[in-house]
Amino acid sequence: MKLNHYIDHTLLKPEASPQAIIKLCQEAIDYEFYAVCVSGCYAYLAAEQVRQSNVKLAVTVGFPLGSSTSEAKVQEAKIAIKQGADEIDMVLNIGFLKAGLTEEVEEEIRSVKSVIGDRILKVILETCYLSNSEMVKACMISEKAGADFVKTSTGFGTAGASIEHIKLMKQSIGGNMKIKASGGIRDTKTALEFVNAGADRIGTSSGIQIVSG
């Protein structure tokens, strides 16, 4: 197992500078990480850096709260793809989900997927705010709406990924859907535990540390 091929090398801090994004992309190329994950304002810059490499570009949408309008999320996704994104990591509307507005949540995910075509859509559930039954529901809605991945966390909630949540998510999706674990994964041992529990991708800012062991 090559752990580097599981890693989305991530920099989403609000104070992230253009120089830091360039460094992130160079590290991803050097360590052969699967992707870099950046905020929308850096989509074009990151796309320029990784263009000649095998590293994919993932860009966040509706991040980190998930509470922007569906129209805004759709526009964000459109712009990110136009600027070179290969994947979109969107935060679902957590408040709507908890209020039982499942049709609205599903429609939003479907709308974003429809404008990005065959590119990968990851739906961030922010599991720290959800009960187990809400998590199961979020997984089912995401799958029904055509998303490719469900993802645990933004890294900005009250807690990150947990092995229990990965196992629950795994049980709640079909064979074609994948899981991204993110939030608090900072060493080799932890990363391996998540992969063994069913994570197909690891979102982390500690990628170098993880692969250097």
Side-chain angles (χ1 to χ4, degrees):
M1 179 198 295
K2 287 195 159 186
L3 261 182
N4 54 328
H5 295 161
Y6 283 83
I7 288 173
D8 284 2
H9 195 38
T10 304
L11 180 57
L12 297 167
K13 288 178 178 170
E15 72 274 23
S17 66
Q19 289 73 21
I21 297 295
I22 291 168
K23 181 169 177 273
L24 179 90
C25 293
Q26 193 52 57
E27 288 169 351
I29 293 165
D30 293 344
Y31 286 89
E32 296 181 356
F33 291 138
Y34 189 88
V36 287
C37 185
V38 303
S39 300
C41 68
Y42 287 130
Y44 183 75
L45 176 64
E48 288 288 287
Q49 306 306 309
V50 301
R51 182 162 289 146
Q52 303 299 322
S53 74
N54 292 321
V55 176
K56 303 285 188 198
L57 171 59
V59 175
T60 58
V61 161
F63 197 88
L65 301 178
S67 52
S68 43
T69 63
S70 292
E71 292 82 357
K73 288 180 184 177
V74 165
Q75 286 304 318
E76 271 192 283
K78 269 188 188 171
I79 294 163
I81 296 299
K82 194 176 175 185
Q83 293 188 339
D86 301 293
E87 306 187 345
I88 297 295
D89 286 34
M90 74 171 281
V91 188
L92 65 64
N93 192 312
I94 302 157
F96 279 14
L97 180 81
K98 293 186 79 67
L101 301 171
T102 52
E103 282 178 24
E104 286 83 349
V105 175
E106 186 185 323
E107 185 49 43
E108 178 172 280
I109 297 166
R110 185 172 279 117
S111 298
V112 171
K113 181 62 181 172
S114 73
V115 297
I116 71 169
D118 58 2
R119 291 174 182 85
I120 296 295
L121 177 61
K122 308 190 202 94
V123 178
I124 307 172
L125 312 184
E126 200 68 292
T127 51
C128 62
Y129 297 130
L130 306 180
S131 65
N132 283 359
S133 64
E134 287 166 343
M135 224 176 295
V136 170
K137 190 179 283 181
C139 287
M140 290 166 74
I141 291 169
S142 300
E143 186 166 28
K144 195 177 165 197
D148 303 282
F149 275 75
V150 275
K151 174 177 166 182
T152 58
S153 323
T154 60
F156 289 81
T158 52
S162 79
I163 296 292
E164 292 69 33
H165 290 166
I166 295 294
K167 288 177 177 171
L168 181 64
M169 289 160 76
K170 191 80 181 162
Q171 289 163 14
S172 310
I173 56 175
N176 294 327
M177 201 171 199
K178 295 180 175 177
I179 295 171
K180 177 174 170 178
S182 63
I185 303 168
R186 299 193 182 95
D187 58 65
T188 314
K189 182 175 173 285
T190 310
L192 283 168
E193 282 171 1
F194 275 99
V195 171
N196 291 331
D200 302 280
R201 203 84 69 78
I202 302 286
T204 180
S205 55
S206 307
I208 295 170
Q209 205 172 310
I210 287 170
V211 297
S212 305

CSV table of all heavy atoms in Angstrom, one decimal, residues 4-5 8 14 25 31 35 46 60 77-78 84 87 116 128 130 143 148 154 156 159 162 171 176 188-189 211:
chain,number,residue,atom,x,y,z
A,4,ASN,N,1.0,7.5,0.0
A,4,ASN,CA,1.0,8.8,-0.6
A,4,ASN,C,-0.1,8.9,-1.7
A,4,ASN,O,-0.6,10.0,-1.9
A,4,ASN,CB,2.4,9.2,-1.3
A,4,ASN,CG,2.9,8.1,-2.2
A,4,ASN,OD1,2.6,6.9,-2.0
A,4,ASN,ND2,3.6,8.5,-3.2
A,5,HIS,N,-0.5,7.8,-2.3
A,5,HIS,CA,-1.5,7.8,-3.3
A,5,HIS,C,-2.9,8.0,-2.7
A,5,HIS,O,-3.9,8.1,-3.4
A,5,HIS,CB,-1.4,6.5,-4.1
A,5,HIS,CG,-0.2,6.5,-4.9
A,5,HIS,ND1,0.3,5.3,-5.5
A,5,HIS,CD2,0.7,7.5,-5.3
A,5,HIS,CE1,1.5,5.6,-6.1
A,5,HIS,NE2,1.7,6.8,-6.0
A,8,ASP,N,-4.8,13.7,-0.1
A,8,ASP,CA,-5.1,15.0,-0.6
A,8,ASP,C,-4.4,16.0,0.3
A,8,ASP,O,-4.7,16.2,1.5
A,8,ASP,CB,-6.6,15.3,-0.5
A,8,ASP,CG,-7.5,14.6,-1.5
A,8,ASP,OD1,-6.9,13.8,-2.3
A,8,ASP,OD2,-8.7,14.7,-1.5
A,14,PRO,N,-7.4,30.1,6.8
A,14,PRO,CA,-7.8,31.4,6.3
A,14,PRO,C,-6.7,32.3,6.0
A,14,PRO,O,-6.8,33.2,5.1
A,14,PRO,CB,-8.7,32.0,7.4
A,14,PRO,CG,-8.4,31.1,8.6
A,14,PRO,CD,-8.0,29.8,8.2
A,25,CYS,N,1.8,22.8,-3.5
A,25,CYS,CA,1.7,22.1,-4.8
A,25,CYS,C,3.0,21.4,-5.1
A,25,CYS,O,3.1,20.3,-5.6
A,25,CYS,CB,1.3,23.1,-5.9
A,25,CYS,SG,-0.4,23.7,-5.7
A,31,TYR,N,6.3,14.5,-3.5
A,31,TYR,CA,5.9,13.3,-2.7
A,31,TYR,C,4.9,12.4,-3.4
A,31,TYR,O,4.4,11.4,-2.9
A,31,TYR,CB,5.4,13.6,-1.3
A,31,TYR,CG,6.5,14.1,-0.4
A,31,TYR,CD1,6.9,15.4,-0.3
A,31,TYR,CD2,7.2,13.2,0.4
A,31,TYR,CE1,7.9,15.8,0.5
A,31,TYR,CE2,8.2,13.6,1.3
A,31,TYR,CZ,8.5,14.9,1.3
A,31,TYR,OH,9.6,15.3,2.1
A,35,ALA,N,-3.6,14.4,-4.6
A,35,ALA,CA,-4.2,15.7,-5.0
A,35,ALA,C,-3.7,16.7,-4.0
A,35,ALA,O,-3.2,16.4,-2.9
A,35,ALA,CB,-5.7,15.6,-5.0
A,46,ALA,N,-3.2,27.1,-8.0
A,46,ALA,CA,-2.8,25.7,-7.8
A,46,ALA,C,-2.9,24.9,-9.1
A,46,ALA,O,-2.0,24.1,-9.4
A,46,ALA,CB,-3.8,25.1,-6.8
A,60,THR,N,-12.6,23.5,-2.6
A,60,THR,CA,-13.7,23.5,-1.7
A,60,THR,C,-14.8,24.4,-2.2
A,60,THR,O,-14.6,25.5,-2.8
A,60,THR,CB,-13.3,23.9,-0.3
A,60,THR,OG1,-12.7,25.2,-0.3
A,60,THR,CG2,-12.3,22.9,0.3
A,77,ALA,N,-18.6,26.1,-7.8
A,77,ALA,CA,-18.2,24.9,-8.4
A,77,ALA,C,-17.8,25.1,-9.9
A,77,ALA,O,-16.8,24.7,-10.4
A,77,ALA,CB,-19.2,23.8,-8.3
A,78,LYS,N,-18.7,25.9,-10.6
A,78,LYS,CA,-18.5,26.2,-12.0
A,78,LYS,C,-17.2,27.0,-12.2
A,78,LYS,O,-16.4,26.6,-13.1
A,78,LYS,CB,-19.6,27.1,-12.5
A,78,LYS,CG,-20.8,26.5,-13.1
A,78,LYS,CD,-21.7,27.5,-13.7
A,78,LYS,CE,-23.1,27.0,-14.1
A,78,LYS,NZ,-24.0,28.0,-14.5
A,84,GLY,N,-9.6,25.0,-13.5
A,84,GLY,CA,-8.8,23.9,-13.5
A,84,GLY,C,-9.0,22.8,-12.5
A,84,GLY,O,-8.2,21.8,-12.4
A,87,GLU,N,-11.6,18.1,-9.0
A,87,GLU,CA,-12.5,17.6,-7.9
A,87,GLU,C,-13.1,18.7,-7.1
A,87,GLU,O,-12.4,19.7,-7.0
A,87,GLU,CB,-11.8,16.6,-7.0
A,87,GLU,CG,-11.1,15.5,-7.7
A,87,GLU,CD,-10.5,14.4,-6.8
A,87,GLU,OE1,-10.3,14.7,-5.6
A,87,GLU,OE2,-10.1,13.3,-7.3
A,116,ILE,N,-20.6,20.0,-12.8
A,116,ILE,CA,-19.2,19.6,-12.8
A,116,ILE,C,-19.0,18.4,-13.7
A,116,ILE,O,-17.9,17.9,-13.9
A,116,ILE,CB,-18.5,19.4,-11.4
A,116,ILE,CG1,-19.1,18.2,-10.7
A,116,ILE,CG2,-18.7,20.7,-10.6
A,116,ILE,CD1,-18.3,17.8,-9.5
A,128,CYS,N,-19.1,15.7,13.1
A,128,CYS,CA,-19.1,16.0,14.5
A,128,CYS,C,-20.5,16.7,14.9
A,128,CYS,O,-20.8,16.7,16.1
A,128,CYS,CB,-18.0,17.0,14.9
A,128,CYS,SG,-18.0,18.6,13.9
A,130,LEU,N,-23.4,15.6,13.6
A,130,LEU,CA,-24.5,14.7,13.2
A,130,LEU,C,-24.7,13.5,14.1
A,130,LEU,O,-23.7,13.0,14.6
A,130,LEU,CB,-24.3,14.2,11.8
A,130,LEU,CG,-24.1,15.2,10.7
A,130,LEU,CD1,-23.9,14.5,9.3
A,130,LEU,CD2,-25.3,16.2,10.6
A,143,GLU,N,-25.4,9.8,-2.1
A,143,GLU,CA,-25.3,8.8,-3.1
A,143,GLU,C,-26.4,8.9,-4.1
A,143,GLU,O,-26.1,8.9,-5.3
A,143,GLU,CB,-25.3,7.4,-2.5
A,143,GLU,CG,-25.1,6.3,-3.4
A,143,GLU,CD,-24.8,4.9,-2.7
A,143,GLU,OE1,-25.2,4.7,-1.6
A,143,GLU,OE2,-24.0,4.1,-3.4
A,148,ASP,N,-19.7,11.3,-5.7
A,148,ASP,CA,-18.7,10.2,-5.8
A,148,ASP,C,-18.1,9.8,-4.5
A,148,ASP,O,-17.7,8.6,-4.3
A,148,ASP,CB,-17.6,10.7,-6.7
A,148,ASP,CG,-18.2,11.1,-8.1
A,148,ASP,OD1,-18.5,10.2,-8.9
A,148,ASP,OD2,-18.3,12.3,-8.3
A,154,THR,N,-14.6,19.0,7.7
A,154,THR,CA,-13.9,20.2,7.2
A,154,THR,C,-12.5,20.4,7.8
A,154,THR,O,-11.6,21.0,7.3
A,154,THR,CB,-14.7,21.5,7.3
A,154,THR,OG1,-14.8,21.7,8.7
A,154,THR,CG2,-16.0,21.4,6.6
A,156,PHE,N,-12.6,22.2,10.5
A,156,PHE,CA,-13.0,23.4,11.2
A,156,PHE,C,-14.1,23.2,12.2
A,156,PHE,O,-14.5,24.1,12.9
A,156,PHE,CB,-13.3,24.5,10.2
A,156,PHE,CG,-12.1,25.0,9.4
A,156,PHE,CD1,-11.7,24.3,8.3
A,156,PHE,CD2,-11.5,26.2,9.8
A,156,PHE,CE1,-10.6,24.8,7.6
A,156,PHE,CE2,-10.4,26.6,9.1
A,156,PHE,CZ,-9.9,25.9,8.0
A,159,ALA,N,-14.8,18.5,16.0
A,159,ALA,CA,-14.0,17.3,15.9
A,159,ALA,C,-13.8,16.9,14.5
A,159,ALA,O,-14.5,17.3,13.6
A,159,ALA,CB,-14.7,16.2,16.7
A,162,SER,N,-13.4,10.1,12.7
A,162,SER,CA,-13.2,9.0,13.7
A,162,SER,C,-13.4,7.6,13.0
A,162,SER,O,-14.1,7.6,12.0
A,162,SER,CB,-14.2,9.1,14.8
A,162,SER,OG,-15.5,8.6,14.4
A,171,GLN,N,-20.9,1.3,5.8
A,171,GLN,CA,-22.1,0.5,5.8
A,171,GLN,C,-23.3,1.2,5.1
A,171,GLN,O,-24.3,0.5,4.8
A,171,GLN,CB,-22.5,0.2,7.3
A,171,GLN,CG,-21.6,-0.8,8.0
A,171,GLN,CD,-21.8,-0.7,9.5
A,171,GLN,OE1,-22.8,-0.2,10.0
A,171,GLN,NE2,-20.8,-1.3,10.3
A,176,ASN,N,-20.0,1.5,-5.3
A,176,ASN,CA,-19.4,2.5,-6.2
A,176,ASN,C,-19.0,3.8,-5.5
A,176,ASN,O,-18.2,4.6,-6.1
A,176,ASN,CB,-20.3,2.8,-7.4
A,176,ASN,CG,-20.5,1.6,-8.2
A,176,ASN,OD1,-19.6,0.7,-8.4
A,176,ASN,ND2,-21.7,1.4,-8.8
A,188,THR,N,1.4,8.3,10.5
A,188,THR,CA,1.4,7.1,9.7
A,188,THR,C,0.4,6.1,10.3
A,188,THR,O,-0.5,5.6,9.6
A,188,THR,CB,2.7,6.5,9.6
A,188,THR,OG1,3.7,7.5,9.3
A,188,THR,CG2,2.8,5.4,8.5
A,189,LYS,N,0.5,5.9,11.6
A,189,LYS,CA,-0.3,4.9,12.2
A,189,LYS,C,-1.8,5.2,12.1
A,189,LYS,O,-2.6,4.3,11.7
A,189,LYS,CB,0.1,4.8,13.7
A,189,LYS,CG,-0.7,3.7,14.5
A,189,LYS,CD,-0.2,3.6,15.9
A,189,LYS,CE,-1.0,2.7,16.8
A,189,LYS,NZ,-2.3,3.4,17.2
A,211,VAL,N,3.8,10.2,5.3
A,211,VAL,CA,4.6,9.3,4.5
A,211,VAL,C,6.1,9.1,4.9
A,211,VAL,O,6.7,8.2,4.5
A,211,VAL,CB,4.5,9.7,3.0
A,211,VAL,CG1,3.1,9.6,2.4
A,211,VAL,CG2,5.1,11.1,2.7
